[in-house]
Amino acid sequence: MDPSLLIGDIVERNSGEKKPVEFSDHPISSTGFPQHKRRWKGSAFKQQRAAQAAGKDPVSRPWQQKQDAPIKVEESSETMDFDAIERRRIDQENRQKISSMTASEIAQAQEDIMNGLNPALIQKLLQRANIDESPDTSPFDPPSSEPPVLPPPDIKIEDTSKSDTPKPSVSSPESKGSEEVGEPVPKTSATSLKKIADNYDEDEAPSQIPPDIFPITDLPQSTHFPAPPTLPDLDPSDPNFLSTLHEKYFPNLPADPSKLAWMAPIPTEDSPADKDSSYYPHPEIPLAALRFDFMGRFLSPRVSRSIPSSKGLHHHGDAPEAAGYTVAELAHLARSAVPAQRCMAFQTLGRILYRLGHGEWGKTEDDPIAMGIWASIKKGRVLDSLTEAALTEGGHRGSRAYATEALWLFEKGGWKEKFKGR
């Protein structure tokens, strides 16, 4: 990084005496702009054209004369190899610096280099000291049929001032080529690697296959990756369906069977779970468990269980195997935030109220079915919900219309006149 870009301390400097402002003596023009100076000599282009027409060399300008010498130097440097010039320059500087040093200074510098650098790096540098010479053969050349005739080795002594320095290295074209291919560093105190033969072939199969290498056809029987425990496939008809579902997909979460009750399978007919249903055809059934269809008609347990689910009367409430809705379920849907559910509940409740007042399930206080249905209506505050929905201004107009119709059917049925104040 350029040291001039670093942020330093602010230093105050003495500016010295300020020079007074000097105004030129040239007359000021009327327009306020400086007057045009007349050019007594012609332009440089005009002078060059005139010299060419006269058959003379064009007059060179001073700045061109100053650049003549650098241009010659650049032309001569372009003809020579830049790398060779740089190497020579560095070699001359090194030789001059070494010639100016004493023997003790040279020994001290060598000791500092040996102690400060990695021994493997020093060995690499000593092997590549003859960088000016290029190898005669390339490691990528195809092998020749005739054995190559090698020249006599060139012995170079790199350094003899220290006893722990490496021995003289023998350089030859073949050894140089192997070094460029990637011959490992000889054993030193820092690294210990095996020496690779000169005729080593990377594509040849090894004489001894390592134990951790095997063909792709002989894969190991088991891997080291952990496998999850195997669980049986989920069967909705299995009585332990919910527990198996929790163990397979949510093993780390606490179990709450009440949240998964709606996913439980429908019990089979006449099974123990089916007999525990609130709408199983027992001899006695609670009046609050009576179910009705969308027309307000009463559905007996046997008829309710025989209706297919495509009729739209099945849901995930109590007794999901039985079709129809109870008065309590319809009162709950009458308070729903979904307009379609409110409309269905209002319409069904209005028809139930009409049939109740018309006397389909009894006309006196001694009829248990009629009085049980009326008790469920008062417990669910059905009339209050219908009145509130019919008197509401704005909102869903369909639900308001069905609530108004349900109240009209209640008045038309006549249940209100029969039991006033009840």
Side-chain angles (χ1 to χ4, degrees):
M1 184 176 180
D2 189 1
S4 61
L5 301 178
L6 298 177
I7 301 176
D9 298 335
I10 300 175
V11 180
E12 295 184 0
R13 303 180 183 278
N14 297 327
S15 58
E17 298 180 0
K18 296 183 179 180
K19 297 182 179 180
V21 181
E22 298 179 357
F23 298 96
S24 60
D25 299 336
H26 300 287
I28 301 174
S29 61
S30 59
T31 59
F33 294 95
Q35 295 181 357
H36 173 65
K37 295 181 179 180
R38 185 176 179 181
R39 184 181 296 172
W40 298 101
K41 296 182 179 180
S43 62
F45 177 73
K46 189 175 181 180
Q47 296 178 9
Q48 186 177 5
R49 292 293 298 273
Q52 291 178 358
K56 300 179 180 180
D57 295 336
V59 180
S60 60
R61 291 179 293 275
W63 60 274
Q64 290 182 344
Q65 297 177 358
K66 293 180 180 180
Q67 290 183 352
D68 289 343
I71 289 174
K72 294 179 182 179
V73 175
E74 291 177 1
E75 292 178 353
S76 62
S77 61
E78 289 177 357
T79 58
M80 301 177 65
D81 189 9
F82 177 77
D83 295 338
I85 296 176
E86 190 69 14
R87 290 176 182 176
R88 292 177 183 177
R89 185 183 63 82
I90 296 174
D91 184 60
Q92 291 178 1
E93 291 180 358
N94 294 338
R95 292 180 182 277
Q96 291 177 3
K97 188 172 182 180
I98 292 174
S99 62
S100 60
M101 297 172 62
T102 61
S104 59
E105 292 177 352
I106 294 175
Q108 182 65 28
Q110 289 179 352
E111 184 178 358
D112 295 341
I113 292 174
M114 293 297 178
N115 296 333
L117 296 180
N118 190 357
L121 178 60
I122 296 174
Q123 186 66 22
K124 275 286 187 181
L125 295 177
L126 293 176
Q127 291 180 356
R128 296 179 58 86
N130 49 354
I131 59 178
D132 291 339
E133 300 179 4
S134 58
D136 297 336
T137 59
S138 175
F140 301 101
D141 294 340
S144 58
S145 59
E146 299 179 358
V149 179
L150 301 178
D154 183 14
I155 301 176
K156 292 187 177 182
I157 299 175
E158 302 296 341
D159 190 12
T160 57
S161 59
K162 283 289 185 178
S163 60
D164 57 346
T165 55
K167 296 181 179 180
S169 61
V170 179
S171 60
S172 64
E174 184 178 356
S175 63
K176 295 174 187 176
S178 62
E179 290 173 4
E180 293 184 1
V181 170
E183 183 177 352
V185 183
K187 292 183 179 181
T188 59
S189 59
T191 59
S192 59
L193 300 175
K194 295 182 179 180
K195 185 177 181 181
I196 299 176
D198 298 337
N199 56 352
Y200 176 74
D201 188 7
E202 296 180 354
D203 299 332
E204 185 180 357
S207 58
Q208 183 179 1
I209 300 177
D212 57 343
I213 297 179
F214 49 85
I216 194 172
T217 56
D218 300 340
L219 294 177
Q221 297 296 332
S222 62
T223 58
H224 65 280
F225 298 104
T230 57
L231 296 175
D233 296 335
L234 298 178
D235 186 9
S237 61
D238 185 11
N240 298 326
F241 171 74
L242 296 180
S243 59
T244 308
L245 177 68
H246 183 269
E247 291 177 2
K248 185 172 184 179
Y249 294 104
F250 313 102
N252 299 327
L253 298 180
D256 190 359
S258 62
K259 293 184 179 180
L260 301 177
W262 65 275
M263 297 182 62
I266 296 176
T268 57
E269 188 176 358
D270 296 335
S271 62
D274 188 25
K275 292 181 180 180
D276 294 340
S277 176
S278 61
Y279 215 55
Y280 185 78
H282 292 289
E284 295 180 0
I285 296 177
L287 295 176
L290 299 180
R291 295 186 174 274
F292 305 86
D293 61 359
F294 291 139
M295 299 301 296
R297 294 173 294 193
F298 168 69
L299 298 176
S300 64
R302 297 188 182 277
V303 175
S304 176
R305 296 166 70 90
S306 63
I307 295 177
S309 59
S310 59
K311 298 295 183 181
L313 295 173
H314 292 77
H315 51 82
H316 296 290
D318 295 336
E321 74 282 354
Y325 291 84
T326 62
V327 176
E329 292 172 352
L330 292 172
H332 181 72
L333 291 174
R335 295 280 183 175
S336 174
V338 181
Q341 292 181 348
R342 294 200 306 269
C343 292
M344 183 272 295
F346 292 159
Q347 187 180 35
T348 307
L349 287 172
R351 293 171 179 177
I352 293 173
L353 290 172
Y354 176 78
R355 294 178 183 274
L356 177 64
H358 201 262
E360 287 192 8
W361 306 302
K363 298 181 179 180
T364 61
E365 297 181 356
D366 298 333
D367 297 325
I369 297 179
M371 298 306 298
I373 294 173
W374 177 246
S376 299
I377 290 174
K378 290 193 298 182
K379 183 177 180 181
R381 304 179 65 88
V382 173
L383 296 178
D384 295 341
S385 300
L386 295 174
T387 305
E388 181 182 358
L391 298 178
T392 301
E393 297 182 358
H396 193 262
R397 295 186 179 182
S399 60
R400 184 173 58 181
Y402 282 115
T404 305
E405 180 186 4
L407 291 176
W408 180 80
L409 290 174
F410 175 65
E411 295 287 343
K412 191 173 181 62
W415 182 266
K416 186 176 182 181
E417 284 77 9
K418 294 179 182 179
F419 303 95
K420 291 184 179 180
R422 293 177 184 263

